[in-house]
Amino acid sequence: MSIDKTSVTPEDAHVVENPEAAAGADVAVDPRLLVRERGFAGYFDEFKRKMRAGDLGSIPVVVGLIVICVIFQSLNSAFLSAENLNNIAVAMVATGMMSVGIIFVLLLGEIDLSVGSVSGVAGALMAVLSVTHGVNEWLAVLIALAGGAAIGAMHGFFFARIGAPAFAVTLAGLLFWLGFMLQILGENGTINIDGDGVVGKLTTYYFSDVAAAYGLAIVAVALFFVSSFLDSRRREAAGIPARPLVDLVVRTAVLAIVAFAAAIMFNQYKGLPLALLLFILVLVITDFVLRRTGYGRKIFALGGSVEASRRAGINVTAVRISVFGIAGFFAAVGGLFWASKIAAANQSAGAGDLLMNVIAAAVIGGTSLFGGRGRTWNALLGVMVITSIQYGLALEGIATPVVYMVTGGVLLATVVIDSITRKTQKTAGRA
């Protein structure tokens, strides 16, 4: 006799009255997956269960972003103008790129304090090679990116192989690479780059044809629906509960509204920014790596339990070194975007509040400081919050010290929410 999976409760999943009969019955299914078969009613029940368990997901940051927009728009009507939103979209990319690398490290439950200095080194290295020594700019960019990855991997080696704490290793790296950057920049301390070069166009080039923004929106919506539909079909073929078609359609419609609203906004100013396009591509690729590959599952496993991962046959040392190498690589990418933004490599690169903003973007976006939970898309949400606050306060002429205090307050609130969430999940038996 078959079992109606839609009627299975969590209690039923743990009770088998007749083991012999159960051997020929349907395979037990995780009750959390059954919501997919119940449609929107199931998702509503699942939402209530997550709220009771403290699993808030991205809800707080999305609500916070909406509140930020409402407040600053009420204070200054220029906040939601196409020009200001376009400027925010470009300005957030450098920090966002670096935050992607930090998310990989945070998923391990570790931290990298050197990314600011590494970004400065990458920008300085590219400028010295291409401007001072006349090296082909593309080659200089590749050397800078490879240098960032190598620096990160070296930090990972001292942490994973030698056993030094990541905090101490990367703190030392912060100081060492800051000095190295100042050394290679020389006494002048500033090297201007060509605004029409490869790096210069990273933040200044726009696809002015309206078809570019609309085309990206169409491609994004279509790929989302096709991938979701094919995933649902694979689940159905495997006998696993899948999302109903109406669910996929609604999700796709919501994405379409957001995507086309953004496209309309971009086309009202200069067009689609190249910087944002590259950022989205990075987010798509890194999200696929983390959620759809064995390597990504190893990172999450390490964030959950190092000893359990080691006993499962995971090469802990190799994964740790590679993750810090990824963080160094994206720090270098961010450094090139910063150099593009100011059209120069100078002594202030990687300094100031950059490191704080990079880590804050990851944490505010939803990545846990305790490891094992997060997605690279969190970098987008977090950096949108931080950059929106900065631009909103700038429009009001608020002094820099207040900007620091507000950003710090938002970060503290996020960490507190994360801590409370973990405690609630432990109480509910989900952590």
Side-chain angles (χ1 to χ4, degrees):
M1 181 179 67
S2 62
I3 299 174
D4 181 7
K5 297 185 182 67
T6 59
S7 64
V8 177
T9 65
E11 291 76 14
D12 297 331
H14 300 290
V15 178
V16 179
E17 296 181 354
N18 190 338
E20 291 77 18
D26 291 346
V27 178
V29 178
D30 186 344
R32 290 173 295 180
L33 297 177
L34 299 180
V35 298
R36 295 172 181 261
E37 290 185 341
R38 296 176 56 201
F40 292 109
Y43 279 104
F44 181 71
D45 292 339
E46 177 71 354
F47 174 78
K48 292 190 295 183
R49 183 187 67 79
K50 287 184 175 181
M51 291 300 100
R52 288 194 299 268
D55 188 2
L56 302 178
S58 298
I59 294 177
V61 67
V62 173
V63 172
L65 189 58
I66 294 173
V67 171
I68 289 170
C69 291
V70 171
I71 292 176
F72 285 123
Q73 178 65 15
S74 64
L75 295 175
N76 193 319
S77 60
F79 181 77
L80 291 181
S81 66
E83 179 180 358
N84 191 58
L85 292 178
N86 207 310
N87 291 336
I88 290 175
V90 175
M92 71 183 187
V93 172
T95 303
M97 287 288 194
M98 298 171 66
S99 187
V100 170
I102 280 291
I103 287 174
F104 276 79
V105 177
L106 290 179
L107 288 175
L108 295 181
E110 302 297 337
I111 193 67
D112 188 342
L113 301 178
S114 68
V115 291
S117 296
V118 174
S119 70
V121 168
L125 191 60
M126 177 279 303
V128 169
L129 289 175
S130 63
V131 178
T132 306
H133 298 288
V135 176
N136 178 272
E137 190 174 6
W138 278 106
L139 179 58
V141 168
L142 292 177
I143 293 174
L145 296 177
I151 291 172
M154 183 174 65
H155 294 162
F157 173 82
F158 283 108
F159 163 60
R161 177 67 68 179
I162 306 301
F167 177 88
V169 170
T170 56
L171 179 60
L174 181 154
L175 298 173
F176 180 87
W177 299 115
L178 176 60
F180 182 76
M181 177 192 70
L182 299 177
Q183 182 68 32
I184 63 176
L185 284 175
E187 295 181 358
N188 185 33
T190 299
I191 300 177
N192 296 322
I193 64 175
D194 182 7
D196 294 325
V198 176
V199 175
K201 288 185 176 181
L202 287 177
T203 57
T204 60
Y205 185 82
Y206 292 80
F207 296 96
S208 57
D209 192 331
V210 296
Y214 290 127
L216 177 61
I218 293 173
V219 170
V221 172
L223 288 178
F224 176 81
F225 178 78
V226 171
S227 62
S228 299
F229 181 75
L230 293 178
D231 180 66
S232 180
R233 293 291 297 271
R234 285 194 295 268
R235 286 178 172 275
E236 291 176 353
I240 302 174
R243 298 187 189 278
L245 181 60
V246 64
D247 184 5
L248 300 182
V249 172
V250 170
R251 286 170 173 262
T252 304
V254 172
L255 176 62
I257 292 173
V258 175
F260 280 97
I264 293 172
M265 180 273 295
F266 287 131
N267 285 332
Q268 287 180 349
Y269 185 54
K270 292 182 179 180
L272 177 66
L274 172 63
L276 183 64
L277 175 61
L278 294 176
F279 187 30
I280 292 175
L281 288 176
V282 165
L283 292 175
V284 171
I285 295 172
T286 53
D287 183 68
F288 177 84
V289 169
L290 282 177
R291 298 197 304 119
R292 300 291 184 179
T293 67
Y295 175 72
R297 287 189 286 272
K298 291 176 182 178
I299 294 176
F300 280 105
L302 278 177
S305 174
V306 174
E307 185 57 32
S309 300
R310 183 178 288 109
R311 293 185 179 184
I314 296 176
N315 189 332
V316 174
T317 300
V319 173
R320 282 175 163 175
I321 292 176
S322 65
V323 164
F324 276 87
I326 290 173
F329 173 81
F330 280 109
V333 173
L336 296 181
F337 274 90
W338 276 115
S340 174
K341 189 172 183 293
I342 63 176
N346 60 31
Q347 295 177 342
S348 64
D353 61 344
L354 177 59
L355 175 61
M356 180 196 72
N357 287 338
V358 170
I359 298 175
V363 177
I364 291 173
T367 302
S368 176
L369 282 170
F370 303 97
R373 189 179 79 242
R375 297 180 59 180
T376 51
W377 286 100
N378 296 149
L380 175 61
L381 291 174
V383 77
M384 284 175 65
V385 169
I386 292 176
T387 311
S388 296
I389 291 174
Q390 293 173 341
Y391 269 68
L393 294 176
L395 286 175
E396 294 303 306
I398 304 298
T400 300
V402 178
V403 177
Y404 286 167
M405 289 187 287
V406 172
T407 306
V410 173
L411 176 58
L412 176 60
T414 305
V415 173
V416 170
I417 292 174
D418 185 30
S419 300
I420 294 175
T421 298
R422 288 182 61 84
K423 290 181 180 179
T424 305
Q425 289 177 339
K426 288 182 178 179
T427 303
R430 297 194 60 196

